[in-house]
Amino acid sequence: MLYESHSHTPLCKHAQGTPQEYAAAAHRAGMPGITITCHNPMPDKFSAHVRMEPEQWDEYKRIVAEAAEEWRGKVDVRLGLEADYYPGHVDFVRQQIADNPLSYVIGSVHPQTPEYRRDYRTDDPLQDQITYFNMLADAAETKLFDCISHPDLIKNETPEDWQTERLIDTIASVLDRIAASGTAMELNTSGRYKRITEMNPFPQMLQMIREREIPVVIGADAHVPERVGEGYPEALAILKQAGFDEVVYFVDRQPQGVSIDEALKFAWVK
């Protein structure tokens, strides 16, 4: 059965609940495991208001290890990371990943950060969207990450300018590059709480992912324990409708396949 593959801690400054509480929520939902994936420390105070500080890295590893010990035999608690892809910081992130025993690494591009808006936002929303999608492929091609998260997040920056038909050719090219990289992609259930209220990515993009046989990981992006596993039955149904037979999660950086039909038989609590 599926793990919760995307969850946070208060160290990122915008989440609540300890890893123990997230593990307890996974247990209540009947999930056998959870990977904690807090936002990685970055140098030079990069988006410091939404991520742990470099000096908190050891604390992060400690609190996840404590939860793993407390829930041993009941919930498999794993140390993961949501790591930002950003030009100029790739070598830092590469070393950070290499130096630590991570079970799962999410690669993210966050267009809402002050640095991204400063460096990449223009007066042309369409060009901004094209830039963002190409950056997702750039991230995948580093081969640092197991999965690319919430891969149409840019739509919530200027929702009034979101017209998918203008982007299909760009997205097709980007997905070709991601498929060639061997990187998975995420279906993020928390998109329902964004300005455009649908999971990320949108259904047509999911179908394009399926056509390229790119594996998909479901993640709730839980910032409070109550959202662990939230939306998984709906996400599974969306994937099935898009033509997927299987969903994956990662353990020790290796994909674990789960039949969607079998997962849908599970008596989901959430």
Side-chain angles (χ1 to χ4, degrees):
M1 190 46 62
L2 295 173
Y3 281 35
E4 173 57 79
S5 293
H6 195 156
S7 61
H8 292 274
T9 80
L11 294 177
C12 73
K13 307 181 182 73
H14 61 287
Q16 301 172 17
T18 66
Q20 284 93 336
E21 291 171 316
Y22 283 82
H27 185 64
R28 288 193 298 272
M31 305 180 89
I34 182 170
T35 305
I36 309 298
T37 53
C38 213
H39 295 282
N40 68 315
M42 290 282 271
D44 306 321
K45 298 294 183 181
F46 181 93
S47 300
H49 64 295
V50 290
R51 65 183 67 252
M52 71 182 96
E53 303 291 342
E55 57 269 22
Q56 293 177 306
W57 179 246
D58 286 341
E59 180 183 358
Y60 175 59
K61 292 190 290 185
R62 176 182 58 78
I63 62 176
V64 174
E66 289 173 352
E69 182 60 31
E70 179 177 331
W71 284 92
R72 189 178 305 280
K74 295 176 286 186
V75 176
D76 183 23
V77 179
R78 294 275 172 164
L79 177 70
L81 196 65
E82 181 176 4
D84 274 53
Y85 170 79
Y86 204 81
H89 292 308
V90 174
D91 288 342
F92 176 89
V93 173
R94 186 186 308 278
Q95 194 63 52
Q96 186 177 67
I97 293 169
D99 287 346
N100 292 282
L102 299 165
S103 187
Y104 175 54
V105 181
I106 304 171
S108 294
V109 177
H110 288 108
Q112 70 272 37
T113 64
E115 293 86 353
Y116 188 101
R117 289 177 173 173
R118 178 195 66 206
D119 294 339
Y120 295 105
R121 283 287 291 273
T122 71
D123 294 329
D124 182 348
L126 176 59
Q127 185 55 53
D128 291 349
Q129 292 159 4
I130 292 170
T131 297
Y132 165 84
F133 280 108
N134 278 294
M135 200 175 288
L136 297 183
D138 294 342
E141 288 172 345
T142 68
K143 299 196 174 181
L144 291 175
F145 312 113
D146 301 312
C147 181
I148 302 299
S149 68
H150 37 59
D152 62 353
L153 193 60
I154 188 68
K155 67 188 177 187
N156 295 294
E157 286 297 284
T158 53
E160 65 279 3
D161 295 303
W162 180 248
Q163 299 176 41
T164 57
E165 65 275 8
R166 301 190 303 178
L167 290 159
I168 292 304
D169 289 346
T170 293
I171 292 172
S173 174
V174 163
L175 292 179
D176 287 343
R177 292 170 60 192
I178 293 173
S181 77
T183 308
M185 299 190 77
E186 181 185 62
L187 178 57
N188 188 301
T189 70
S190 75
R192 299 175 301 168
Y193 300 102
K194 301 291 194 295
R195 296 173 72 184
I196 294 179
T197 55
E198 63 182 4
M199 294 185 187
N200 307 114
F202 62 96
Q204 187 177 358
M205 186 171 172
L206 271 180
Q207 292 173 357
M208 297 168 73
I209 290 169
R210 173 65 188 94
E211 290 165 2
R212 290 157 178 80
E213 299 183 344
I214 300 172
V216 168
V217 180
I218 300 175
D221 205 347
H223 284 69
V224 294
E226 292 75 19
R227 287 194 180 172
V228 168
E230 188 176 61
Y232 271 49
E234 180 184 347
L236 288 163
I238 288 171
L239 287 171
K240 186 174 176 65
Q241 186 173 14
F244 287 86
D245 299 317
E246 183 180 77
V247 65
V248 303
Y249 63 95
F250 282 78
V251 174
D252 293 332
R253 308 297 304 275
Q254 297 300 311
Q256 315 293 314
V258 176
S259 161
I260 288 176
D261 284 339
E262 289 303 310
L264 283 168
K265 293 176 183 176
F266 178 66
W268 290 92
V269 175
K270 295 288 182 181

